[in-house]
Amino acid sequence: MEFLSADWLGTPAWFWLAFLGLVAALTAFDLGVLHKEDREMGIGESLKLSAFYITIALAFGAWIWVARGADLGMKYYTGFFIEKALSIDNVFVISLIFTFFAIPPKYQYRALVWGIIAVIVLRGMMIAAGAALVAEAYWVLYIFAAFLIVTGIKMFFAGDRPMDVGNNPVVRWISGHMRVTKELHAQHFFVRVPDEKSGKMVRAATPLFLALVVINLADLVFAVDSVPAIFAITTDTFIVYTSNIMAILGLRALYFALSAMVHRFHYLKYALAAVLVFIGAKIFVADFLLGGDKFPPMLSLGVTAALIASGILYSLWKTRGAPEPDWPRS
């Protein structure tokens, strides 16, 4: 009992165990029950499963609201909405990666699940490092805030440049230092194949493994924006981590629906840019204009939700009837 009530990064250990247990149960149920067989997911099933994950995430936020107060509850929801909106950009990149490696839709879901497992660990490391920096020196938050403002401004003027998967240095390094099969071997990341010279059976990676590696690298790039954005909302490590992971958990379910209509969200990036500028600016407003008083969490949540909703609705209205882009799909 003492262990469960012990403080860990500002939160009782049993909160962390409950969250990690929920994530493990959802992942096991998803991978071992819902998708025990490799198959293609339809848009309808994708939307239903995504709604299930969003419901779980919102219910978890309600639990935080009741157990730890309205302030942290609103900060959780703000972080969750920001991360969920930012993840829409991930969909286009993930689709390009699967297309480049010619991964059929029926194998994409399993790769996404294992990618999410890696993200849970990698983002946990990034958030732990960020929390340690902020705890050691509060002024690091000002760096995060300035970075978000600069990133948001750059997003306003950045063009739509597709990711060059083939020239990714990690892909080239793996291809040059590991045996990689030219064809897929179902859902396997590694297989044993005959060596071209000796004829002996040797271990080799498959294109599905390369796709998994690049997807996780792309997520690390996106995390450079999303993790500081949530730290700018709250420095509570539990809220930062849980809002981040709960948003990502549902991404694999939503991917198959969004990948078919991601072109309809073209103008969302401008709303996201405004959100990043707003989140970064409110750090300076709170500390230098409000005399160190907290920026009202309800106002922060309201502005964030309004910007994201406006970006989604305007995109859907502006692109109504627009043809799909001619980039290839897997």
Side-chain angles (χ1 to χ4, degrees):
M1 292 298 294
E2 292 183 3
F3 169 75
L4 293 177
S5 60
D7 182 88
W8 193 49
L9 297 177
T11 301
W14 73 272
F15 275 82
W16 288 99
L17 293 175
F19 173 71
L20 294 176
L22 175 63
V23 171
L26 287 173
T27 303
F29 177 71
D30 199 339
L31 188 59
V33 178
L34 293 181
H35 295 87
K36 190 173 182 179
E37 302 292 335
D38 290 308
R39 58 184 176 81
E40 183 175 353
M41 180 185 291
I43 292 179
E45 183 183 0
S46 174
L47 291 174
K48 290 178 182 178
L49 191 56
S50 180
F52 168 75
Y53 273 105
I54 291 174
T55 301
I56 294 293
L58 295 178
F60 185 80
W63 178 59
I64 292 177
W65 192 300
V66 172
R68 301 196 62 193
D71 180 71
L72 287 181
M74 284 185 285
K75 290 176 178 177
Y76 166 86
Y77 283 127
T78 304
F80 173 77
F81 290 139
I82 290 175
E83 181 61 41
K84 200 69 177 175
L86 286 171
S87 68
I88 294 178
D89 275 353
N90 294 32
V91 170
F92 179 72
V93 173
I94 293 172
S95 186
L96 284 178
I97 293 170
F98 281 142
T99 297
F100 179 84
F101 290 107
I103 308 298
K106 68 176 182 177
Y107 299 136
Q108 292 177 5
Y109 194 88
R110 186 172 292 267
L112 287 172
V113 171
W114 288 108
I116 294 298
I117 294 173
V119 166
I120 291 172
V121 176
L122 294 173
R123 292 219 178 180
M125 295 170 62
M126 291 183 68
I127 290 170
L133 285 173
V134 172
E136 187 69 24
Y138 180 83
W139 54 264
V140 171
L141 273 181
Y142 298 136
I143 296 179
F144 286 168
F147 174 77
L148 292 174
I149 294 172
V150 172
T151 301
I153 293 173
K154 288 176 63 177
M155 283 178 65
F156 275 114
F157 303 102
D160 297 320
R161 291 181 299 175
M163 179 182 182
D164 190 352
V165 181
N167 287 324
N168 185 287
V170 176
V171 172
R172 288 186 296 176
W173 187 90
I174 292 177
S175 300
H177 292 78
M178 291 180 62
R179 294 183 180 89
V180 181
T181 63
K182 295 181 180 179
E183 65 285 335
L184 285 172
H185 291 263
Q187 79 279 13
H188 299 295
F189 295 114
F190 293 94
V191 293
R192 296 186 66 81
V193 295
D195 183 76
E196 294 181 356
K197 296 181 179 179
S198 65
K200 295 181 179 180
M201 299 299 290
V202 294
R203 194 173 181 82
T206 68
L208 189 62
F209 173 74
L210 288 183
L212 178 64
V213 170
V214 179
I215 286 173
N216 280 287
L217 289 174
D219 179 78
L220 286 177
V221 174
F222 282 109
V224 172
D225 292 337
S226 62
V227 171
I230 300 181
F231 268 113
I233 295 167
T234 177
T235 56
D236 187 297
T237 309
F238 183 76
I239 300 300
V240 173
Y241 186 66
T242 55
S243 62
N244 213 280
I245 298 305
M246 290 303 283
I248 294 172
L249 274 177
L251 175 61
R252 64 183 183 269
L254 190 57
Y255 166 78
F256 294 93
L258 285 183
S259 62
M261 56 182 296
V262 71
H263 63 290
R264 297 291 309 278
F265 296 95
H266 177 75
Y267 296 95
L268 177 61
K269 69 176 183 178
Y270 298 109
L272 294 177
V275 168
L276 293 181
V277 172
F278 167 71
I279 294 298
K282 76 184 187 70
I283 292 291
F284 295 106
V285 171
D287 284 6
F288 297 108
L289 297 182
L290 300 181
D293 292 337
K294 291 183 178 180
F295 195 92
M298 183 61 77
L299 178 60
S300 179
L301 175 59
V303 172
T304 300
L307 288 171
I308 293 173
S310 298
I312 292 174
L313 293 175
Y314 182 75
S315 291
L316 293 175
W317 174 76
K318 192 71 174 178
T319 59
R320 63 192 187 285
E324 292 190 23
D326 58 3
W327 47 273
R329 295 188 182 277
S330 52

PDB file of all heavy atoms in Angstrom, residues 167-199:
ATOM      1  N   ASN A 167      15.479   8.826 -49.636  1.00  0.00           N
ATOM      2  CA  ASN A 167      16.760   9.423 -49.264  1.00  0.00           C
ATOM      3  C   ASN A 167      16.933   9.576 -47.757  1.00  0.00           C
ATOM      4  O   ASN A 167      17.863  10.239 -47.308  1.00  0.00           O
ATOM      5  CB  ASN A 167      16.911  10.800 -49.933  1.00  0.00           C
ATOM      6  CG  ASN A 167      17.184  10.679 -51.421  1.00  0.00           C
ATOM      7  OD1 ASN A 167      17.889   9.765 -51.857  1.00  0.00           O
ATOM      8  ND2 ASN A 167      16.618  11.575 -52.215  1.00  0.00           N
ATOM      9  N   ASN A 168      16.041   8.962 -46.979  1.00  0.00           N
ATOM     10  CA  ASN A 168      16.192   9.004 -45.532  1.00  0.00           C
ATOM     11  C   ASN A 168      17.508   8.324 -45.153  1.00  0.00           C
ATOM     12  O   ASN A 168      17.760   7.183 -45.553  1.00  0.00           O
ATOM     13  CB  ASN A 168      15.014   8.281 -44.868  1.00  0.00           C
ATOM     14  CG  ASN A 168      15.049   8.392 -43.364  1.00  0.00           C
ATOM     15  OD1 ASN A 168      15.866   7.757 -42.711  1.00  0.00           O
ATOM     16  ND2 ASN A 168      14.153   9.191 -42.810  1.00  0.00           N
ATOM     17  N   PRO A 169      18.372   9.009 -44.396  1.00  0.00           N
ATOM     18  CA  PRO A 169      19.689   8.431 -44.076  1.00  0.00           C
ATOM     19  C   PRO A 169      19.602   7.118 -43.303  1.00  0.00           C
ATOM     20  O   PRO A 169      20.455   6.242 -43.471  1.00  0.00           O
ATOM     21  CB  PRO A 169      20.362   9.532 -43.236  1.00  0.00           C
ATOM     22  CG  PRO A 169      19.260  10.425 -42.769  1.00  0.00           C
ATOM     23  CD  PRO A 169      18.219  10.366 -43.830  1.00  0.00           C
ATOM     24  N   VAL A 170      18.591   6.975 -42.447  1.00  0.00           N
ATOM     25  CA  VAL A 170      18.459   5.732 -41.692  1.00  0.00           C
ATOM     26  C   VAL A 170      18.083   4.577 -42.620  1.00  0.00           C
ATOM     27  O   VAL A 170      18.609   3.464 -42.495  1.00  0.00           O
ATOM     28  CB  VAL A 170      17.406   5.885 -40.577  1.00  0.00           C
ATOM     29  CG1 VAL A 170      17.189   4.562 -39.856  1.00  0.00           C
ATOM     30  CG2 VAL A 170      17.835   6.955 -39.578  1.00  0.00           C
ATOM     31  N   VAL A 171      17.187   4.835 -43.575  1.00  0.00           N
ATOM     32  CA  VAL A 171      16.816   3.802 -44.542  1.00  0.00           C
ATOM     33  C   VAL A 171      18.037   3.381 -45.347  1.00  0.00           C
ATOM     34  O   VAL A 171      18.281   2.182 -45.570  1.00  0.00           O
ATOM     35  CB  VAL A 171      15.704   4.317 -45.475  1.00  0.00           C
ATOM     36  CG1 VAL A 171      15.447   3.317 -46.601  1.00  0.00           C
ATOM     37  CG2 VAL A 171      14.421   4.560 -44.701  1.00  0.00           C
ATOM     38  N   ARG A 172      18.832   4.351 -45.768  1.00  0.00           N
ATOM     39  CA  ARG A 172      20.037   4.027 -46.549  1.00  0.00           C
ATOM     40  C   ARG A 172      21.041   3.260 -45.702  1.00  0.00           C
ATOM     41  O   ARG A 172      21.704   2.342 -46.194  1.00  0.00           O
ATOM     42  CB  ARG A 172      20.660   5.308 -47.096  1.00  0.00           C
ATOM     43  CG  ARG A 172      19.852   5.950 -48.225  1.00  0.00           C
ATOM     44  CD  ARG A 172      20.565   7.129 -48.840  1.00  0.00           C
ATOM     45  NE  ARG A 172      20.731   8.211 -47.880  1.00  0.00           N
ATOM     46  CZ  ARG A 172      21.397   9.333 -48.139  1.00  0.00           C
ATOM     47  NH1 ARG A 172      21.976   9.499 -49.312  1.00  0.00           N
ATOM     48  NH2 ARG A 172      21.483  10.278 -47.221  1.00  0.00           N
ATOM     49  N   TRP A 173      21.155   3.636 -44.410  1.00  0.00           N
ATOM     50  CA  TRP A 173      22.114   2.943 -43.535  1.00  0.00           C
ATOM     51  C   TRP A 173      21.688   1.502 -43.316  1.00  0.00           C
ATOM     52  O   TRP A 173      22.504   0.586 -43.407  1.00  0.00           O
ATOM     53  CB  TRP A 173      22.220   3.668 -42.192  1.00  0.00           C
ATOM     54  CG  TRP A 173      23.309   3.113 -41.320  1.00  0.00           C
ATOM     55  CD1 TRP A 173      24.613   3.508 -41.270  1.00  0.00           C
ATOM     56  CD2 TRP A 173      23.187   2.019 -40.392  1.00  0.00           C
ATOM     57  NE1 TRP A 173      25.307   2.738 -40.368  1.00  0.00           N
ATOM     58  CE2 TRP A 173      24.466   1.817 -39.820  1.00  0.00           C
ATOM     59  CE3 TRP A 173      22.121   1.200 -39.997  1.00  0.00           C
ATOM     60  CZ2 TRP A 173      24.704   0.832 -38.860  1.00  0.00           C
ATOM     61  CZ3 TRP A 173      22.363   0.208 -39.046  1.00  0.00           C
ATOM     62  CH2 TRP A 173      23.644   0.037 -38.491  1.00  0.00           C
ATOM     63  N   ILE A 174      20.402   1.281 -43.013  1.00  0.00           N
ATOM     64  CA  ILE A 174      19.908  -0.081 -42.791  1.00  0.00           C
ATOM     65  C   ILE A 174      20.063  -0.915 -44.056  1.00  0.00           C
ATOM     66  O   ILE A 174      20.506  -2.070 -44.010  1.00  0.00           O
ATOM     67  CB  ILE A 174      18.438  -0.056 -42.338  1.00  0.00           C
ATOM     68  CG1 ILE A 174      18.329   0.565 -40.939  1.00  0.00           C
ATOM     69  CG2 ILE A 174      17.859  -1.472 -42.321  1.00  0.00           C
ATOM     70  CD1 ILE A 174      16.896   0.699 -40.451  1.00  0.00           C
ATOM     71  N   SER A 175      19.719  -0.324 -45.187  1.00  0.00           N
ATOM     72  CA  SER A 175      19.829  -1.050 -46.460  1.00  0.00           C
ATOM     73  C   SER A 175      21.273  -1.410 -46.777  1.00  0.00           C
ATOM     74  O   SER A 175      21.538  -2.429 -47.433  1.00  0.00           O
ATOM     75  CB  SER A 175      19.243  -0.203 -47.595  1.00  0.00           C
ATOM     76  OG  SER A 175      17.892   0.085 -47.356  1.00  0.00           O
ATOM     77  N   GLY A 176      22.222  -0.568 -46.311  1.00  0.00           N
ATOM     78  CA  GLY A 176      23.634  -0.822 -46.597  1.00  0.00           C
ATOM     79  C   GLY A 176      24.315  -1.719 -45.587  1.00  0.00           C
ATOM     80  O   GLY A 176      25.385  -2.273 -45.873  1.00  0.00           O
ATOM     81  N   HIS A 177      23.746  -1.877 -44.393  1.00  0.00           N
ATOM     82  CA  HIS A 177      24.389  -2.650 -43.328  1.00  0.00           C
ATOM     83  C   HIS A 177      23.610  -3.888 -42.902  1.00  0.00           C
ATOM     84  O   HIS A 177      24.100  -4.672 -42.092  1.00  0.00           O
ATOM     85  CB  HIS A 177      24.624  -1.762 -42.097  1.00  0.00           C
ATOM     86  CG  HIS A 177      25.650  -0.689 -42.310  1.00  0.00           C
ATOM     87  ND1 HIS A 177      25.377   0.480 -43.009  1.00  0.00           N
ATOM     88  CD2 HIS A 177      26.946  -0.600 -41.927  1.00  0.00           C
ATOM     89  CE1 HIS A 177      26.459   1.236 -43.031  1.00  0.00           C
ATOM     90  NE2 HIS A 177      27.412   0.614 -42.385  1.00  0.00           N
ATOM     91  N   MET A 178      22.405  -4.044 -43.406  1.00  0.00           N
ATOM     92  CA  MET A 178      21.607  -5.215 -43.059  1.00  0.00           C
ATOM     93  C   MET A 178      21.093  -5.872 -44.332  1.00  0.00           C
ATOM     94  O   MET A 178      20.937  -5.223 -45.359  1.00  0.00           O
ATOM     95  CB  MET A 178      20.398  -4.813 -42.187  1.00  0.00           C
ATOM     96  CG  MET A 178      20.738  -4.345 -40.790  1.00  0.00           C
ATOM     97  SD  MET A 178      19.223  -3.891 -39.876  1.00  0.00           S
ATOM     98  CE  MET A 178      18.362  -5.464 -39.839  1.00  0.00           C
ATOM     99  N   ARG A 179      20.844  -7.168 -44.236  1.00  0.00           N
ATOM    100  CA  ARG A 179      20.167  -7.849 -45.339  1.00  0.00           C
ATOM    101  C   ARG A 179      18.699  -7.453 -45.307  1.00  0.00           C
ATOM    102  O   ARG A 179      18.041  -7.565 -44.277  1.00  0.00           O
ATOM    103  CB  ARG A 179      20.300  -9.367 -45.207  1.00  0.00           C
ATOM    104  CG  ARG A 179      21.724  -9.887 -45.359  1.00  0.00           C
ATOM    105  CD  ARG A 179      21.713 -11.413 -45.294  1.00  0.00           C
ATOM    106  NE  ARG A 179      23.044 -11.966 -45.441  1.00  0.00           N
ATOM    107  CZ  ARG A 179      23.883 -12.185 -44.423  1.00  0.00           C
ATOM    108  NH1 ARG A 179      23.494 -11.878 -43.189  1.00  0.00           N
ATOM    109  NH2 ARG A 179      25.078 -12.689 -44.620  1.00  0.00           N
ATOM    110  N   VAL A 180      18.191  -6.984 -46.418  1.00  0.00           N
ATOM    111  CA  VAL A 180      16.798  -6.589 -46.519  1.00  0.00           C
ATOM    112  C   VAL A 180      16.192  -7.278 -47.733  1.00  0.00           C
ATOM    113  O   VAL A 180      16.733  -7.179 -48.845  1.00  0.00           O
ATOM    114  CB  VAL A 180      16.638  -5.061 -46.661  1.00  0.00           C
ATOM    115  CG1 VAL A 180      15.163  -4.690 -46.742  1.00  0.00           C
ATOM    116  CG2 VAL A 180      17.298  -4.339 -45.495  1.00  0.00           C
ATOM    117  N   THR A 181      15.117  -8.002 -47.536  1.00  0.00           N
ATOM    118  CA  THR A 181      14.482  -8.693 -48.646  1.00  0.00           C
ATOM    119  C   THR A 181      13.811  -7.682 -49.584  1.00  0.00           C
ATOM    120  O   THR A 181      13.410  -6.598 -49.160  1.00  0.00           O
ATOM    121  CB  THR A 181      13.417  -9.682 -48.139  1.00  0.00           C
ATOM    122  OG1 THR A 181      12.377  -8.956 -47.476  1.00  0.00           O
ATOM    123  CG2 THR A 181      14.027 -10.689 -47.173  1.00  0.00           C
ATOM    124  N   LYS A 182      13.719  -8.044 -50.832  1.00  0.00           N
ATOM    125  CA  LYS A 182      13.079  -7.162 -51.799  1.00  0.00           C
ATOM    126  C   LYS A 182      11.554  -7.260 -51.737  1.00  0.00           C
ATOM    127  O   LYS A 182      10.860  -6.344 -52.184  1.00  0.00           O
ATOM    128  CB  LYS A 182      13.562  -7.502 -53.216  1.00  0.00           C
ATOM    129  CG  LYS A 182      15.054  -7.237 -53.432  1.00  0.00           C
ATOM    130  CD  LYS A 182      15.465  -7.568 -54.857  1.00  0.00           C
ATOM    131  CE  LYS A 182      16.949  -7.299 -55.072  1.00  0.00           C
ATOM    132  NZ  LYS A 182      17.376  -7.638 -56.444  1.00  0.00           N
ATOM    133  N   GLU A 183      11.059  -8.358 -51.205  1.00  0.00           N
ATOM    134  CA  GLU A 183       9.616  -8.561 -51.152  1.00  0.00           C
ATOM    135  C   GLU A 183       9.153  -8.716 -49.703  1.00  0.00           C
ATOM    136  O   GLU A 183       9.943  -9.002 -48.804  1.00  0.00           O
ATOM    137  CB  GLU A 183       9.199  -9.800 -51.959  1.00  0.00           C
ATOM    138  CG  GLU A 183       9.718 -11.120 -51.416  1.00  0.00           C
ATOM    139  CD  GLU A 183      11.194 -11.364 -51.692  1.00  0.00           C
ATOM    140  OE1 GLU A 183      11.711 -10.792 -52.676  1.00  0.00           O
ATOM    141  OE2 GLU A 183      11.812 -12.118 -50.928  1.00  0.00           O
ATOM    142  N   LEU A 184       7.857  -8.512 -49.502  1.00  0.00           N
ATOM    143  CA  LEU A 184       7.259  -8.703 -48.185  1.00  0.00           C
ATOM    144  C   LEU A 184       7.156 -10.190 -47.852  1.00  0.00           C
ATOM    145  O   LEU A 184       7.106 -11.036 -48.745  1.00  0.00           O
ATOM    146  CB  LEU A 184       5.864  -8.097 -48.141  1.00  0.00           C
ATOM    147  CG  LEU A 184       5.742  -6.572 -48.051  1.00  0.00           C
ATOM    148  CD1 LEU A 184       4.289  -6.170 -48.231  1.00  0.00           C
ATOM    149  CD2 LEU A 184       6.263  -6.063 -46.714  1.00  0.00           C
ATOM    150  N   HIS A 185       7.133 -10.484 -46.562  1.00  0.00           N
ATOM    151  CA  HIS A 185       6.889 -11.845 -46.083  1.00  0.00           C
ATOM    152  C   HIS A 185       5.753 -11.778 -45.078  1.00  0.00           C
ATOM    153  O   HIS A 185       5.966 -11.877 -43.868  1.00  0.00           O
ATOM    154  CB  HIS A 185       8.154 -12.434 -45.463  1.00  0.00           C
ATOM    155  CG  HIS A 185       9.234 -12.721 -46.455  1.00  0.00           C
ATOM    156  ND1 HIS A 185       9.450 -13.974 -46.996  1.00  0.00           N
ATOM    157  CD2 HIS A 185      10.147 -11.899 -47.038  1.00  0.00           C
ATOM    158  CE1 HIS A 185      10.454 -13.923 -47.857  1.00  0.00           C
ATOM    159  NE2 HIS A 185      10.904 -12.670 -47.895  1.00  0.00           N
ATOM    160  N   ALA A 186       4.548 -11.534 -45.606  1.00  0.00           N
ATOM    161  CA  ALA A 186       3.344 -11.374 -44.779  1.00  0.00           C
ATOM    162  C   ALA A 186       3.585 -10.289 -43.733  1.00  0.00           C
ATOM    163  O   ALA A 186       4.083  -9.221 -44.054  1.00  0.00           O
ATOM    164  CB  ALA A 186       2.953 -12.710 -44.161  1.00  0.00           C
ATOM    165  N   GLN A 187       3.247 -10.597 -42.450  1.00  0.00           N
ATOM    166  CA  GLN A 187       3.344  -9.578 -41.409  1.00  0.00           C
ATOM    167  C   GLN A 187       4.695  -9.601 -40.693  1.00  0.00           C
ATOM    168  O   GLN A 187       4.894  -8.894 -39.703  1.00  0.00           O
ATOM    169  CB  GLN A 187       2.220  -9.784 -40.371  1.00  0.00           C
ATOM    170  CG  GLN A 187       2.471 -10.879 -39.349  1.00  0.00           C
ATOM    171  CD  GLN A 187       2.159 -12.264 -39.868  1.00  0.00           C
ATOM    172  OE1 GLN A 187       1.986 -12.462 -41.063  1.00  0.00           O
ATOM    173  NE2 GLN A 187       2.089 -13.227 -38.958  1.00  0.00           N
ATOM    174  N   HIS A 188       5.655 -10.382 -41.192  1.00  0.00           N
ATOM    175  CA  HIS A 188       6.925 -10.562 -40.487  1.00  0.00           C
ATOM    176  C   HIS A 188       7.867  -9.374 -40.711  1.00  0.00           C
ATOM    177  O   HIS A 188       7.979  -8.851 -41.814  1.00  0.00           O
ATOM    178  CB  HIS A 188       7.604 -11.853 -40.953  1.00  0.00           C
ATOM    179  CG  HIS A 188       6.792 -13.086 -40.694  1.00  0.00           C
ATOM    180  ND1 HIS A 188       6.489 -13.542 -39.426  1.00  0.00           N
ATOM    181  CD2 HIS A 188       6.195 -13.950 -41.555  1.00  0.00           C
ATOM    182  CE1 HIS A 188       5.757 -14.636 -39.510  1.00  0.00           C
ATOM    183  NE2 HIS A 188       5.564 -14.904 -40.791  1.00  0.00           N
ATOM    184  N   PHE A 189       8.551  -9.002 -39.632  1.00  0.00           N
ATOM    185  CA  PHE A 189       9.569  -7.954 -39.721  1.00  0.00           C
ATOM    186  C   PHE A 189      10.936  -8.538 -40.069  1.00  0.00           C
ATOM    187  O   PHE A 189      11.752  -7.879 -40.699  1.00  0.00           O
ATOM    188  CB  PHE A 189       9.664  -7.185 -38.396  1.00  0.00           C
ATOM    189  CG  PHE A 189       8.419  -6.425 -38.050  1.00  0.00           C
ATOM    190  CD1 PHE A 189       7.654  -6.769 -36.941  1.00  0.00           C
ATOM    191  CD2 PHE A 189       8.002  -5.360 -38.831  1.00  0.00           C
ATOM    192  CE1 PHE A 189       6.508  -6.060 -36.614  1.00  0.00           C
ATOM    193  CE2 PHE A 189       6.848  -4.648 -38.522  1.00  0.00           C
ATOM    194  CZ  PHE A 189       6.103  -4.997 -37.411  1.00  0.00           C
ATOM    195  N   PHE A 190      11.174  -9.782 -39.637  1.00  0.00           N
ATOM    196  CA  PHE A 190      12.433 -10.474 -39.944  1.00  0.00           C
ATOM    197  C   PHE A 190      12.105 -11.896 -40.396  1.00  0.00           C
ATOM    198  O   PHE A 190      11.164 -12.513 -39.885  1.00  0.00           O
ATOM    199  CB  PHE A 190      13.356 -10.517 -38.718  1.00  0.00           C
ATOM    200  CG  PHE A 190      13.876  -9.180 -38.289  1.00  0.00           C
ATOM    201  CD1 PHE A 190      13.215  -8.449 -37.313  1.00  0.00           C
ATOM    202  CD2 PHE A 190      15.027  -8.657 -38.856  1.00  0.00           C
ATOM    203  CE1 PHE A 190      13.682  -7.218 -36.914  1.00  0.00           C
ATOM    204  CE2 PHE A 190      15.505  -7.408 -38.465  1.00  0.00           C
ATOM    205  CZ  PHE A 190      14.838  -6.690 -37.492  1.00  0.00           C
ATOM    206  N   VAL A 191      12.879 -12.393 -41.346  1.00  0.00           N
ATOM    207  CA  VAL A 191      12.701 -13.757 -41.854  1.00  0.00           C
ATOM    208  C   VAL A 191      14.072 -14.375 -42.097  1.00  0.00           C
ATOM    209  O   VAL A 191      15.096 -13.673 -42.114  1.00  0.00           O
ATOM    210  CB  VAL A 191      11.891 -13.768 -43.175  1.00  0.00           C
ATOM    211  CG1 VAL A 191      10.456 -13.337 -42.949  1.00  0.00           C
ATOM    212  CG2 VAL A 191      12.563 -12.881 -44.229  1.00  0.00           C
ATOM    213  N   ARG A 192      14.066 -15.666 -42.283  1.00  0.00           N
ATOM    214  CA  ARG A 192      15.307 -16.370 -42.661  1.00  0.00           C
ATOM    215  C   ARG A 192      15.213 -16.724 -44.140  1.00  0.00           C
ATOM    216  O   ARG A 192      14.230 -17.336 -44.577  1.00  0.00           O
ATOM    217  CB  ARG A 192      15.506 -17.617 -41.802  1.00  0.00           C
ATOM    218  CG  ARG A 192      15.705 -17.303 -40.319  1.00  0.00           C
ATOM    219  CD  ARG A 192      16.052 -18.557 -39.523  1.00  0.00           C
ATOM    220  NE  ARG A 192      17.347 -19.114 -39.884  1.00  0.00           N
ATOM    221  CZ  ARG A 192      18.526 -18.665 -39.423  1.00  0.00           C
ATOM    222  NH1 ARG A 192      18.550 -17.647 -38.562  1.00  0.00           N
ATOM    223  NH2 ARG A 192      19.654 -19.224 -39.791  1.00  0.00           N
ATOM    224  N   VAL A 193      16.235 -16.315 -44.888  1.00  0.00           N
ATOM    225  CA  VAL A 193      16.262 -16.529 -46.334  1.00  0.00           C
ATOM    226  C   VAL A 193      17.624 -17.095 -46.726  1.00  0.00           C
ATOM    227  O   VAL A 193      18.612 -16.920 -45.996  1.00  0.00           O
ATOM    228  CB  VAL A 193      16.007 -15.211 -47.108  1.00  0.00           C
ATOM    229  CG1 VAL A 193      14.600 -14.693 -46.845  1.00  0.00           C
ATOM    230  CG2 VAL A 193      17.041 -14.154 -46.730  1.00  0.00           C
ATOM    231  N   PRO A 194      17.732 -17.762 -47.894  1.00  0.00           N
ATOM    232  CA  PRO A 194      19.028 -18.296 -48.331  1.00  0.00           C
ATOM    233  C   PRO A 194      19.982 -17.157 -48.708  1.00  0.00           C
ATOM    234  O   PRO A 194      19.591 -16.205 -49.383  1.00  0.00           O
ATOM    235  CB  PRO A 194      18.672 -19.139 -49.556  1.00  0.00           C
ATOM    236  CG  PRO A 194      17.202 -19.314 -49.507  1.00  0.00           C
ATOM    237  CD  PRO A 194      16.639 -18.160 -48.781  1.00  0.00           C
ATOM    238  N   ASP A 195      21.226 -17.264 -48.266  1.00  0.00           N
ATOM    239  CA  ASP A 195      22.240 -16.284 -48.649  1.00  0.00           C
ATOM    240  C   ASP A 195      22.564 -16.459 -50.131  1.00  0.00           C
ATOM    241  O   ASP A 195      22.691 -17.592 -50.624  1.00  0.00           O
ATOM    242  CB  ASP A 195      23.502 -16.471 -47.810  1.00  0.00           C
ATOM    243  CG  ASP A 195      24.554 -15.419 -48.123  1.00  0.00           C
ATOM    244  OD1 ASP A 195      24.403 -14.276 -47.687  1.00  0.00           O
ATOM    245  OD2 ASP A 195      25.524 -15.760 -48.833  1.00  0.00           O
ATOM    246  N   GLU A 196      22.698 -15.337 -50.845  1.00  0.00           N
ATOM    247  CA  GLU A 196      22.918 -15.385 -52.295  1.00  0.00           C
ATOM    248  C   GLU A 196      24.239 -16.064 -52.653  1.00  0.00           C
ATOM    249  O   GLU A 196      24.363 -16.679 -53.715  1.00  0.00           O
ATOM    250  CB  GLU A 196      22.895 -13.968 -52.874  1.00  0.00           C
ATOM    251  CG  GLU A 196      21.534 -13.292 -52.760  1.00  0.00           C
ATOM    252  CD  GLU A 196      21.555 -11.906 -53.369  1.00  0.00           C
ATOM    253  OE1 GLU A 196      22.639 -11.462 -53.801  1.00  0.00           O
ATOM    254  OE2 GLU A 196      20.482 -11.260 -53.411  1.00  0.00           O
ATOM    255  N   LYS A 197      25.249 -15.982 -51.778  1.00  0.00           N
ATOM    256  CA  LYS A 197      26.571 -16.551 -52.088  1.00  0.00           C
ATOM    257  C   LYS A 197      26.731 -17.964 -51.534  1.00  0.00           C
ATOM    258  O   LYS A 197      27.121 -18.887 -52.258  1.00  0.00           O
ATOM    259  CB  LYS A 197      27.655 -15.642 -51.534  1.00  0.00           C
ATOM    260  CG  LYS A 197      27.685 -14.265 -52.182  1.00  0.00           C
ATOM    261  CD  LYS A 197      28.816 -13.410 -51.609  1.00  0.00           C
ATOM    262  CE  LYS A 197      28.845 -12.037 -52.280  1.00  0.00           C
ATOM    263  NZ  LYS A 197      29.932 -11.175 -51.716  1.00  0.00           N
ATOM    264  N   SER A 198      26.450 -18.137 -50.224  1.00  0.00           N
ATOM    265  CA  SER A 198      26.692 -19.429 -49.596  1.00  0.00           C
ATOM    266  C   SER A 198      25.501 -20.377 -49.657  1.00  0.00           C
ATOM    267  O   SER A 198      25.656 -21.591 -49.538  1.00  0.00           O
ATOM    268  CB  SER A 198      27.088 -19.222 -48.132  1.00  0.00           C
ATOM    269  OG  SER A 198      26.004 -18.658 -47.404  1.00  0.00           O
ATOM    270  N   GLY A 199      24.319 -19.836 -49.820  1.00  0.00           N
ATOM    271  CA  GLY A 199      23.130 -20.672 -49.828  1.00  0.00           C
ATOM    272  C   GLY A 199      22.621 -21.011 -48.441  1.00  0.00           C
ATOM    273  O   GLY A 199      21.569 -21.632 -48.297  1.00  0.00           O
TER     274      GLY A 199
END
